[in-house]
Amino acid sequence: MAIVIRNGVIANAYGCFRADILIENDRIAQIESSIECANAECIDAEGCFVMPGFIDTHTHFDLDTGSAVTADDFVTGTRAAILGGTTTILDFATQDRDGTLTQAYEKWQDKARGSSCNYGFHMAMARFDESVSEEMQKMHDIGITSYKLYMVYDSLKVDDGAIYMALKRAKELGSIIGVHCENYDLLKAINTELHKNGAGVDPYSHALSRPNEVEAEAVAKLIYIARLADAPVNIVHLSTEEAMLEVRRHRACFEKPYIYVETCPQYLLLNDDKYHDDGRRYIMSPPLRKQKDVEALWDALEDGNVDTIGTDHCSFTLAQKNKCDYSDVPNGIPGVMYRPSIMLSEGLLGGRCSIEKLVKLMSYNPAKLYGLTDRGEIKVGAFADMTIWSKESEHVLTDTNHAHNCDYSPYAGLTVRGTIRDVILNGRHVVHEGELLVSGSGHYIARDEYTDL
Ligand code: URP
Ligand code: ZN
Ligand code: ZN
């Protein structure tokens, strides 16, 4: 059945206007000042913003780190995502060091069956050699046009030469690589120091073990590697003022290669004080930073130096996190459900950025950067993925009022103004006032090539 969304304000990355929207099948068929509802389901969006469905560029569902498996799999994770207004997630299919990219792709396709929002995969490569380089053509052909490389973690770390070669290869294929930037040798040495001193096993020591310089040095190095390779690169989950300064320095002098920046809500909302109060909940990498870093990221967001906001959702239960030594605690926090509502509440209603900017960071830019053609904007012919948000209510987040398969919330105590009221996915009305009307209707999106922002 067709759907008409009436009386709402359409918010795109490039402007807002009041209009009605007709949805037929899975696409937007018409946008006019007034559309009749005959023979269609009518959704009244009076007083609401109607936005292109949000795209989370960074999730880890059903990830086995070797010592723990994430609490959310695709069924629970995508359910939380869609209830929170996210219509597409990009998860990290992760290659085993001795495995192939194809094996990782097939494994992730199996994991993702039954998802309630659309999904695609970045390919996290645990090595780069001739055979991987060849396989990247196959990945391109099956719709994987983005990758992640890690400078850390024993099972994933690749060296600088591999990053250089992989960046060049990705560029040839119209693909883009995101890099986890931390200097592994440095953080391991500091970790050893902390353990020698005996006192350094509490959660705050997690932050001490990965100081700002550990990220900033790695970001500076990555920028030089990208310049040598003459290839664009994305810095994922950037968290410090110092790393942002490295990006600013590059952007001030060079137009290309493009150095893109992703940050996450946790680095915009929380600081390292959290490590003093049941701090295991907040153990993630990079760690939470000082308030001056939080402010620097908001400044960067406001002046155009942040390109995307992803959650880095990687959830573990309190029992899984209940370890005496910070270095034994599995890294990551839940967040996929909260990103649209907390960014709208803190960013828009908090007076820190416009609705257009938020749509750009959470929908339009992710769609362009990651080849999600005909998504990320509300226009005739685009896929009908839409999120309707009303600013007319508020609630306080708790450890339990969410849909993550996780027994705590890193944002417990935060007052969120506004609510995700309705969600349209592939032309179907799937969420209304916190209720999932249709589950399991997400599908895999084979993505096109990367586009410069
Ligand atoms: O602590 C985090 N972020 N865990 C997820 C893996 C990663 O590095 O993104
Ligand atoms: Zn990472
Ligand atoms: Zn991550």
Side-chain angles (χ1 to χ4, degrees):
M1 190 191 209
I3 298 174
V4 176
I5 302 174
R6 302 199 67 194
N7 307 320
V9 174
I10 296 173
N12 273 317
Y14 38 80
C16 293
F17 59 104
R18 200 184 165 92
D20 296 352
I21 304 167
L22 172 67
I23 298 163
E24 282 175 347
N25 302 313
D26 60 352
R27 300 259 183 176
I28 297 172
Q30 207 185 339
I31 299 176
E32 295 291 341
S33 54
S34 179
I35 300 175
E36 287 309 314
C37 272
N39 303 322
E41 176 186 348
C42 189
I43 299 175
D44 186 2
E46 179 72 46
C48 297
F49 280 115
V50 184
M51 295 167 284
F54 292 113
I55 298 164
D56 193 336
T57 51
H58 195 144
T59 68
H60 302 273
F61 297 149
D62 203 353
L63 180 71
D64 185 348
T65 67
S67 53
V69 179
T70 54
D72 279 298
D73 58 17
F74 275 83
V75 169
T76 61
T78 58
R79 189 171 177 276
I82 198 82
L83 284 165
T86 291
T87 49
T88 300
I89 56 107
L90 296 177
D91 201 80
F92 292 88
T94 302
Q95 179 195 21
D96 292 330
R97 183 88 81 196
D98 56 359
T100 65
L101 304 185
T102 307
Q103 284 164 345
Y105 168 78
E106 285 168 356
K107 196 165 168 184
W108 253 258
Q109 282 289 13
D110 275 352
K111 288 172 189 266
R113 235 168 256 134
S115 289
S116 288
C117 72
N118 294 332
Y119 52 92
F121 307 123
H122 308 286
M123 183 56 65
M125 296 190 287
R127 60 185 162 85
F128 183 80
D129 54 25
E130 261 316 302
S131 67
V132 169
S133 175
E134 268 172 40
E135 259 199 304
M136 285 170 77
Q137 177 67 56
K138 178 172 173 193
M139 293 299 112
H140 169 276
D141 298 344
I142 54 182
I144 293 189
T145 52
S146 55
Y147 295 84
K148 183 174 182 184
L149 293 172
Y150 288 85
M151 292 186 181
V152 293
Y153 304 132
D154 288 338
S155 60
L156 292 167
K157 181 191 183 306
V158 294
D159 64 27
D160 300 343
I163 295 174
Y164 168 75
M165 297 298 290
L167 284 175
K168 290 178 81 159
R169 178 67 175 136
K171 186 183 175 189
E172 277 172 10
L173 292 167
S175 300
I176 185 151
I177 296 189
V179 181
H180 179 129
C181 293
E182 290 185 293
N183 183 314
Y184 201 33
D185 289 342
L186 269 181
L187 74 86
K188 281 196 297 189
I190 300 167
N191 183 49
T192 306
E193 265 177 356
L194 286 164
H195 281 80
K196 261 197 194 133
N197 294 342
V201 296
D202 59 304
Y204 191 72
S205 297
H206 175 67
L208 293 178
S209 76
R210 304 171 108 103
N212 290 22
E213 291 81 356
V214 162
E215 180 181 76
E217 186 276 341
V219 164
K221 182 170 72 174
L222 176 68
I223 291 172
Y224 282 113
I225 296 173
R227 275 193 220 155
L228 271 179
D230 191 25
V233 73
N234 187 23
I235 299 160
V236 296
H237 49 50
L238 186 142
S239 65
T240 60
E241 179 181 22
E242 289 81 353
M244 186 51 79
L245 273 173
E246 298 297 338
V247 175
R248 286 181 184 279
R249 234 193 302 275
H250 170 83
R251 287 182 172 185
C253 300
F254 301 93
E255 203 207 330
K256 282 192 168 184
Y258 293 113
I259 307 293
Y260 296 107
V261 171
E262 173 200 75
T263 193
C264 312
Q266 53 270 34
Y267 303 119
L268 290 163
L269 266 84
L270 309 174
N271 65 36
D272 66 358
D273 287 346
K274 290 285 183 195
Y275 291 115
H276 297 300
D277 178 19
D278 202 359
R280 287 172 190 79
R281 292 173 173 229
Y282 305 96
I283 290 189
M284 67 190 93
S285 294
L288 296 176
R289 305 296 186 176
K290 300 279 178 223
Q291 191 57 30
K292 64 108 184 157
D293 296 293
V294 171
E295 297 307 327
L297 289 181
W298 276 109
D299 289 346
L301 192 148
E302 281 158 37
D303 65 25
N305 280 296
V306 173
D307 302 294
T308 59
I309 297 176
T311 58
D312 199 4
H313 178 104
C314 188
S315 59
F316 296 98
T317 63
L318 290 175
Q320 288 175 297
K321 283 196 171 267
N322 188 21
K323 303 276 190 269
C324 296
D325 184 327
Y326 74 84
S327 59
D328 294 328
V329 179
N331 280 210
I333 60 166
V336 73
M337 184 171 177
Y338 305 123
R339 183 188 59 138
S341 56
I342 63 180
M343 290 309 302
L344 285 159
S345 175
E346 293 288 316
L348 176 67
L349 300 180
R352 302 200 80 150
C353 59
S354 65
I355 185 92
E356 288 91 345
K357 173 62 72 72
L358 290 174
V359 170
K360 188 173 185 179
L361 294 169
M362 298 198 291
S363 192
Y364 182 78
N365 280 357
K368 277 194 84 180
L369 201 55
Y370 294 119
L372 291 156
T373 306
D374 289 340
R375 298 183 201 268
E377 53 188 320
I378 295 183
K379 62 177 185 188
V380 172
F383 286 107
D385 289 351
M386 275 171 267
T387 299
I388 301 177
W389 176 79
S390 156
K391 63 177 186 317
E392 291 313 327
S393 69
E394 66 176 44
H395 65 290
V396 178
L397 297 178
T398 70
D399 281 337
T400 52
N401 61 358
H402 56 78
H404 303 137
N405 185 34
C406 193
D407 51 357
Y408 78 96
S409 164
Y411 302 105
L414 182 74
T415 298
V416 174
R417 289 186 283 160
T419 185
I420 302 295
R421 212 195 66 181
D422 296 272
V423 182
I424 311 294
L425 178 71
N426 306 318
R428 296 174 77 182
H429 190 188
V430 295
V431 171
H432 180 60
E433 290 186 346
E435 198 190 329
L436 188 60
L437 307 175
V438 183
S439 69
S441 68
H443 61 69
Y444 172 69
I445 302 181
R447 292 180 289 120
D448 295 322
E449 292 184 5
Y450 134 93
T451 321
D452 285 331
L453 298 180

